[in-house]
Amino acid sequence: ARHLLGRVTFASSWKTIKSFENLTASQAVNLLFDNALKSPAPTAPAWKDDAFKMFWTLPKDEIQKALDEIYGKVYGQNYELKRWWMEAMKNDTASIREKLTLFWHGHFTTKFVVDEPLPAQLMYKQNKLFRDSHQGNFKKLVENIILDPAMLIFLNGNGSNKKAPNENFSRELLELYTCGIGNYTETDVKEGARVLSGWYVSIYSDEGTPPGVYVPFFVPENHDTNSKIYLGRSIPATTQNTQEAVLKNEIKYLVDIIHTERKEAVARFICEKLYRFFVYSSSENPPSDVIADMMEIFSKDWEIKPVLMALLQSQHFFDTKNRSVQIKTPAETVVGITAHFDVDGEWKEWVMVTMGQELLNPPNVAGWPGYRQWLDSRTFPFAVQQLGYFKAVFCKRAQYCSG
């Protein structure tokens, strides 16, 4: 029970561990997934629907002040959102929800610290998408992330048009999010970018865009309506250039093509990533027989829950050689150790960042490399220092830490 809960939660208590002690592996794993759906979701931040006004329409002498205020609020709310998520991780003691939310955040990477920092409202919407979809259908999640407002802005899909379609998201969709390097060509990247042209999202309340703020919308005249060849399959020319038709006939069809033409590659890519996250993050290849079994389950209908349930209740998962081998992420370390104490959220955030993991701000589009990078010459000495400080100060106050 302790091994299972340690891998799928951040901060299970001894009481929770004891409550799982007499369950079979199948019963325990089922309960972790059921609890994830039944337990109340964390209360949304009060500012989740707030929006900014266009600063560039102000008189010149007022623009800088307005811009400073916007940036100050954007950074402040994103920092608040990080601490909000850490609290959700701490409170999720008997389900797989927040652990999988972190997994998908590290997979479909988006960071708020870019040239023009992303509003926390967008980062919250994406975080909620991962939480709501954590054990659902992967193919559907791919469809949703394509038009996720934060992703549209982060990987330059916002405003991509037929004259010069931006290729950033199209490339990462194949390389990092679905089938991996070696399973596509540069032509596929370019054709995918054409499919994804014509989409926008507004972050200013007074821009007057049709659906309002933080909602993606389609501009027909900026979409490439010509036929495309993607992964060897033809996407017909658009005859109905409307948001609904393009979403169905091009974007959803593009996702269908990936999961059909690169079925084995997608299954292997995602299953190996799930294995490394939940079993062992070594840079070596995971056991081929375990991955093959996972791939067979996953590629049937792309449901996340069945493949993870099979892995987490397998004999391989509980094998002694897979126990106490995983190097904890800073999120697991900090949230887990501080969960039972009254510790300032800013201190936890700072320690986690300095140990190498800043929530909502992964280092690049590939996410956190993990494994031994959590224990390099910079992060490991700091972790030892800060956790020693924690033990000296907080455990002494609590009077029940031993050693």
Side-chain angles (χ1 to χ4, degrees), residues 4 49 55 78 96 136 140 228 286 289 291 295 304 399 403:
L4 176 62
D49 295 318
F55 61 87
N78 271 296
I96 199 169
K140 182 64 178 177
K228 296 98 177 171
D289 56 334
I291 297 301
M295 288 170 60
I304 299 161
Q399 297 181 350

Side-chain angles (χ1 to χ4, degrees), residues 237-297:
T238 303
T239 55
Q240 290 181 294
N241 195 22
T242 64
Q243 179 163 317
E244 293 74 18
V246 169
L247 184 61
K248 177 184 177 182
N249 299 330
E250 294 200 51
I251 290 183
K252 289 188 177 183
Y253 188 41
L254 175 142
V255 175
D256 284 341
I257 290 173
I258 294 173
H259 287 78
T260 302
E261 297 302 315
R262 298 296 183 269
K263 182 177 182 179
E264 182 177 345
V266 174
R268 181 176 303 279
F269 189 72
I270 301 303
C271 288
E272 287 186 352
K273 202 162 186 178
L274 287 167
Y275 181 94
R276 289 191 171 97
F277 190 81
F278 285 101
V279 182
Y280 188 32
S281 58
S282 167
S283 56
E284 298 177 4
N285 290 330
S288 58
D289 56 334
V290 176
I291 297 301
D293 290 344
M294 293 175 67
M295 288 170 60
E296 184 178 357
I297 297 169

Side-chain angles (χ1 to χ4, degrees), residues 14 19 35 72 83 110 176 189 200 216 234 259 261 274 341 359:
W14 182 247
S19 71
N35 287 346
R83 295 189 287 273
T110 303
L176 296 175
V189 172
Y200 295 76
S234 175
H259 287 78
E261 297 302 315
L274 287 167
F341 303 90
L359 300 177

Side-chain angles (χ1 to χ4, degrees), residues 4-29:
L4 176 62
L5 289 166
R7 294 297 173 87
V8 303
T9 70
F10 292 92
S12 284
S13 64
W14 182 247
K15 181 180 178 181
T16 303
I17 293 171
K18 294 294 286 184
S19 71
F20 276 74
E21 203 170 54
N22 295 320
L23 301 179
T24 66
S26 177
Q27 289 171 333
V29 173

Side-chain angles (χ1 to χ4, degrees), residues 192-204:
R194 293 174 58 210
V195 170
L196 301 171
S197 61
W199 293 89
Y200 295 76
V201 61
S202 173
I203 61 173
Y204 297 99

Side-chain angles (χ1 to χ4, degrees), residues 209-388:
T209 53
V213 71
Y214 308 139
V215 180
F217 62 96
F218 182 67
V219 178
E221 59 266 28
N222 289 338
H223 177 64
D224 188 330
T225 59
N226 297 311
S227 63
K228 296 98 177 171
I229 302 294
Y230 189 71
L231 297 177
R233 293 271 293 275
S234 175
I235 298 177
T238 303
T239 55
Q240 290 181 294
N241 195 22
T242 64
Q243 179 163 317
E244 293 74 18
V246 169
L247 184 61
K248 177 184 177 182
N249 299 330
E250 294 200 51
I251 290 183
K252 289 188 177 183
Y253 188 41
L254 175 142
V255 175
D256 284 341
I257 290 173
I258 294 173
H259 287 78
T260 302
E261 297 302 315
R262 298 296 183 269
K263 182 177 182 179
E264 182 177 345
V266 174
R268 181 176 303 279
F269 189 72
I270 301 303
C271 288
E272 287 186 352
K273 202 162 186 178
L274 287 167
Y275 181 94
R276 289 191 171 97
F277 190 81
F278 285 101
V279 182
Y280 188 32
S281 58
S282 167
S283 56
E284 298 177 4
N285 290 330
S288 58
D289 56 334
V290 176
I291 297 301
D293 290 344
M294 293 175 67
M295 288 170 60
E296 184 178 357
I297 297 169
F298 189 50
S299 60
K300 285 179 181 177
D301 50 16
W302 307 108
E303 289 293 325
I304 299 161
K305 180 180 176 180
V307 66
L308 261 181
M309 287 189 65
L311 175 65
L312 295 175
Q313 59 186 293
S314 68
Q315 184 177 347
H316 177 80
F317 177 78
F318 288 98
D319 194 303
T320 53
K321 68 182 180 181
N322 291 321
R323 300 189 184 202
S324 303
V325 296
Q326 189 76 303
I327 300 173
K328 287 181 177 290
T329 65
E332 291 171 310
T333 300
V334 174
V335 174
I337 288 178
T338 62
H340 309 293
F341 303 90
D342 184 16
V343 183
D344 180 71
E346 291 187 8
W347 181 82
K348 290 190 288 186
E349 178 192 349
W350 173 71
V351 172
M352 195 185 298
V353 170
T354 313
M355 287 175 66
Q357 186 172 38
E358 181 177 9
L359 300 177
L360 311 183
N361 193 32
N364 51 53
V365 290
W368 295 281
Y371 193 41
R372 290 178 179 166
Q373 186 149 332
W374 301 133
L375 299 176
D376 64 21
S377 59
R378 181 185 65 85
T379 58
F380 182 66
F382 179 83
V384 171
Q385 178 196 55
Q386 288 301 312
L387 296 179

